[in-house]
């Protein structure tokens, strides 16, 4: 069964084709990063409009290897969580295409999509395993008891990890999205500053607002010139604190649950320092290839296969679910 997956929940317009939920056929992503960069974050109105412009060409490109729409058996589309207007563009498009082509369409939760990206790996993790999901909008730990059976162990009380990377990068004069440039800068710096590791000792919940504020205060204290001079050190020190907390809590979750496998998904999973710390832990680590960590259509197609098995049909009257959850 070949599924076309469509993703427009945030600032990536993406489409991908996956066979039987596990075999990647195509994955096309149009990033809006440059459009939103001047604003330092995603502008919802601009995002919806850009999805409208990009969705058709991105979908056509994703369908090319299977010879167009006739080459797929079903559609899958993200219905939440995400930006209301952006979700609406993708869902309306999916409904129209499914209706016109006489194909079934399935509703996908974006967070299950990030987890489903693991199924596209060579040698994916077998449930049960623990999963750390860290994106620009979410930071959570799950116990993946089985595919479709997720238990939420803890999540962020305020900012998401990716959001913290974006905000700190902005403070240091780096472009949006801040994760990649901040990681590059950190590679050339030393962890010279002591930043707080919020809630490190307490439970499996996260908090990143205090860490971001600590960096902001330090930047103010140093002043413009000194901040610019110490940029790499500031980046390295922030990164060490942020991914240190993520890794420590994820590894602790494994210990508490007796899980031997730990998966890391979402945009922040691309961070090499995070991977390094987790790989040094007492678990078998898993992460999707970088192009499947960030938002993409293939992960939606992979999750769509599971949604189809559960009969989660996209109702023609379905509305977006901006704050949908799993677990
Ligand atoms: O999963 P994703 O593409 O979109 C959401 O669902 O939010 O995640 C995007 C987030 C952004 O905040 C971005 O700065 C962050 O992931 N990110 C990174 C790295 N690459 C992307 N954060 C840290 N290190 C990276 N290498
Ligand atoms: Zn995402």
């Amino acid at each position: 069964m070949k599924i076309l997956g469509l993703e427009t929940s945030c600032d990536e317009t993406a489409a991908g084709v996956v066979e039987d939920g596990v075999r990647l056929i195509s994955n096309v992503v149009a990033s809006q990063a440059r459009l939103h960069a001047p604003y330092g974050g995603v502008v919802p109105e601009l995002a919806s409009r850009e999805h409208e412009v990009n969705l058709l060409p991105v979908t056509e490109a994703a369908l090319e290897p299977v010879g167009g729409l006739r080459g797929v058996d079903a559609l899958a589309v993200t219905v939440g969580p995400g930006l209301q207007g952006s979700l609406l563009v993708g869902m309306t498009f999916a409904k129209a295409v499914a209706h016109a082509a006489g194909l079934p369409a399935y509703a996908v939760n974006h967070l299950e999509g990030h987890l489903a990206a693991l199924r596209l790996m060579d040698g994916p993790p077998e449930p049960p395993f623990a999963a750390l999901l860290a994106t620009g909008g979410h930071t959570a730990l799950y116990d993946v008891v089985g595919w479709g059976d997720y238990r939420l162990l803890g999540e962020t009380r305020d900012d998401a990890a990716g959001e913290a990377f974006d905000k700190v990068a902005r403070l240091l004069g780096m472009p949006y999205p801040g994760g990649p440039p901040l990681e590059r800068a950190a590679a050339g710096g030393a962890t010279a500053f002591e930043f707080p590791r919020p809630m490190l000792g307490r439970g499996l919940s996260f908090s990143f607002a205090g860490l971001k504020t600590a960096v902001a205060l330090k930047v103010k204290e140093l002043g413009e010139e000194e901040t610019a001079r110490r940029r790499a050190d500031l980046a390295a020190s922030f990164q060490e604190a942020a991914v240190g907390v993520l890794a420590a809590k994820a590894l602790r979750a494994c210990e508490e649950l007796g899980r031997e496998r730990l998966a890391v998904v979402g945009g922040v999973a691309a961070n090499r320092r995070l991977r390094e710390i987790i790989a040094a832990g007492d678990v078998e680590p898993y992460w999707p290839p970088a192009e499947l960590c960030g938002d993409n259509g293939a992960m939606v197609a992979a999750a769509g296969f599971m949604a189809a098995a559960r009969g989660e049909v996209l109702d023609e009257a379905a509305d977006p679910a901006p704050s949908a959850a799993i677990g």
Side-chain angles (χ1 to χ4, degrees), residues 111-304:
L111 305 178
E112 184 172 42
H114 276 298
L115 290 173
L118 291 163
R119 290 168 49 105
L120 298 169
M121 296 172 60
D122 297 327
E126 263 314 305
F129 61 87
L132 168 67
L133 183 149
T135 71
H138 295 84
T139 301
L141 271 168
Y142 297 100
D143 186 19
V144 179
V145 180
W147 286 108
D149 185 359
Y150 316 117
R151 316 266 161 95
L152 178 66
L153 302 170
E155 60 188 330
T156 183
R157 305 249 170 112
D158 39 60
D159 293 352
E163 190 180 356
F165 268 87
D166 294 338
K167 286 178 175 169
V168 168
R170 194 178 185 192
L171 283 170
L172 301 179
M174 298 170 195
Y176 172 86
L182 197 143
E183 181 179 357
R184 278 195 297 276
T191 52
F193 298 97
E194 254 327 301
F195 289 129
R197 300 188 179 204
M199 303 180 48
L200 183 60
R202 280 186 288 141
L204 296 175
S205 300
F206 301 94
S207 165
F208 290 101
L211 172 57
K212 175 204 66 193
T213 305
V215 179
L217 289 174
K218 182 55 76 180
V219 163
K220 206 167 161 202
E221 180 195 315
L222 292 176
E224 216 170 293
E225 242 172 70
E226 190 65 4
T227 294
R229 210 177 63 77
R230 306 289 309 271
R231 206 160 86 131
D233 291 349
L234 286 162
S237 306
F238 160 75
Q239 175 176 264
E240 199 62 20
V243 304
V245 175
L246 288 171
K249 297 226 175 192
L251 290 168
R252 191 188 316 138
C254 290
E255 207 178 299
E256 286 175 9
L257 295 164
R259 297 287 181 243
E260 290 155 9
R261 291 175 288 279
L262 171 61
V264 188
V265 300
V268 183
N271 189 279
R272 259 167 265 135
R273 181 62 186 139
L274 173 64
R275 293 180 175 193
E276 200 173 89
I277 301 175
I278 285 176
D282 197 16
V283 291
E284 231 178 279
Y286 293 84
W287 31 73
E291 65 275 16
L292 295 172
C293 284
D295 290 349
N296 65 87
M299 74 183 202
V300 177

